[in-house]
Amino acid sequence: MAPDGADGLMVFDGKFRKPVDAAVGPLGAALRKTKLTPDHLTVVGLLVGASAAVAVGSGRLILGLVLVILAALPDLLDGALAKASETSSQRGAFFDSTIDRVTDALLLGGIAYYFADTKDPRLAVLPYAVMATASVVSYQRAKAESLGLEAKGGLMERAERIVVLCVGLLLETFVDDALVWILWGMLLLISITAVQRFVKVWKQAEVAPVTQARIDLRRERRASRREARTTRRRTRVPLRERVPRRQD
């Protein structure tokens, strides 16, 4: 599953991104020979992720764990295929990011159902709290980038969340309530990540220069006003010409 950001603070994407890209590069080249597209792989990842959510919700945690791992593979390979086939695009990136959010919601929804069915129903609120806080983290990056700023990094981004979630599913099969404590820890670390990103963007915005987009917008507005004034001048009714009086 593609992480939602990367910089030095991100453990998996920051330190292991290049080795992973080098490892899956040949697989992307092999997939290029098929008729699959990156969007196809993204959809496959969504379907497998939905199956994982159903498995977890029904209490089959080991099956859910295996499916979560399998769901990560298409999401890992779609980027390699896009690079190998030179089909990387903004539309593909937008589609992949949207599907990632949907998959996250399904997985956490499956955990919420599992808690409500096998534990205290009130614990079902915990996965939704994790999902809501994670959505804030993703929104911070999206909003910052729309303003020409950067909000990558943090202790608990998407790649870390998926890995920790897998660990929680595994431990839950041996230790009762292990997944509950794992989610409490995730919630804390995601909240810290949200604060980290907020501070990072806040500092950038304090000294951020006017972006080129804003400069271009101001120029367009000034040009429109000048054009409007010119048009009004040209459409003014000319003064009535004086007609000389008849000499009787």
Side-chain angles (χ1 to χ4, degrees), residues 65-244:
L65 170 61
V66 173
L67 290 175
V68 170
I69 295 173
L70 291 178
L73 295 179
D75 200 37
L76 181 66
L77 294 174
D78 60 1
L81 177 58
K83 291 180 181 178
S85 58
E86 298 181 352
T87 56
S88 299
S89 65
Q90 291 180 327
R91 185 178 68 176
F94 172 77
F95 181 63
D96 184 64
S97 181
T98 301
I99 294 300
D100 285 346
R101 304 286 88 73
V102 175
T103 303
D104 290 349
L106 290 174
L107 289 174
L108 290 169
I111 294 175
Y113 188 91
Y114 169 73
F115 284 169
D117 188 47
T118 62
K119 302 180 185 298
D120 189 341
R122 292 174 294 182
L123 284 175
V125 178
L126 178 57
Y128 284 105
V130 171
M131 182 174 63
T133 311
S135 297
V136 172
V137 172
S138 297
Y139 173 79
Q140 285 174 321
R141 178 179 176 183
K143 184 61 178 180
E145 290 181 349
S146 72
L147 297 173
L149 305 174
E150 182 182 332
K152 297 178 181 180
L155 289 175
M156 182 65 64
E157 294 190 294
R158 190 168 188 268
E160 287 87 349
R161 294 197 299 267
I162 295 299
V163 172
V164 172
L165 182 60
C166 289
V167 173
L169 291 173
L170 179 61
L171 292 179
E172 180 69 16
T173 61
F174 301 103
V175 181
D176 192 32
D177 289 339
L179 186 57
V180 175
W181 292 107
I182 289 290
L183 286 182
W184 277 115
M186 284 181 62
L187 181 60
L188 175 61
L189 293 176
I190 295 172
S191 300
I192 294 174
T193 302
V195 174
Q196 287 177 319
R197 288 193 172 188
F198 181 87
V199 173
K200 185 175 183 179
V201 175
W202 189 267
K203 290 181 179 179
Q204 290 178 72
E206 185 179 6
V207 295
V210 178
T211 63
Q212 187 62 39
R214 292 173 61 186
I215 294 175
D216 293 340
L217 180 60
R218 290 176 182 177
R219 289 175 178 173
E220 290 177 4
R221 289 176 177 174
R222 285 197 294 266
S224 298
R225 288 195 293 268
R226 286 196 297 267
E227 185 178 355
R229 286 196 296 267
T230 302
T231 302
R232 286 197 298 269
R233 293 194 193 101
R234 291 175 179 174
T235 56
R236 284 177 183 172
V237 178
L239 294 175
R240 184 179 298 174
E241 297 181 359
R242 293 184 179 180
V243 179

Side-chain angles (χ1 to χ4, degrees), residues 2 4 7 27 33 37 41 50 129 138 145 148 168-169 174 182 187 208 223 238 248:
D4 60 2
D7 71 0
L27 296 177
K33 300 177 182 178
T37 67
L41 294 179
S138 297
E145 290 181 349
L169 291 173
F174 301 103
I182 289 290
L187 181 60
D248 292 334

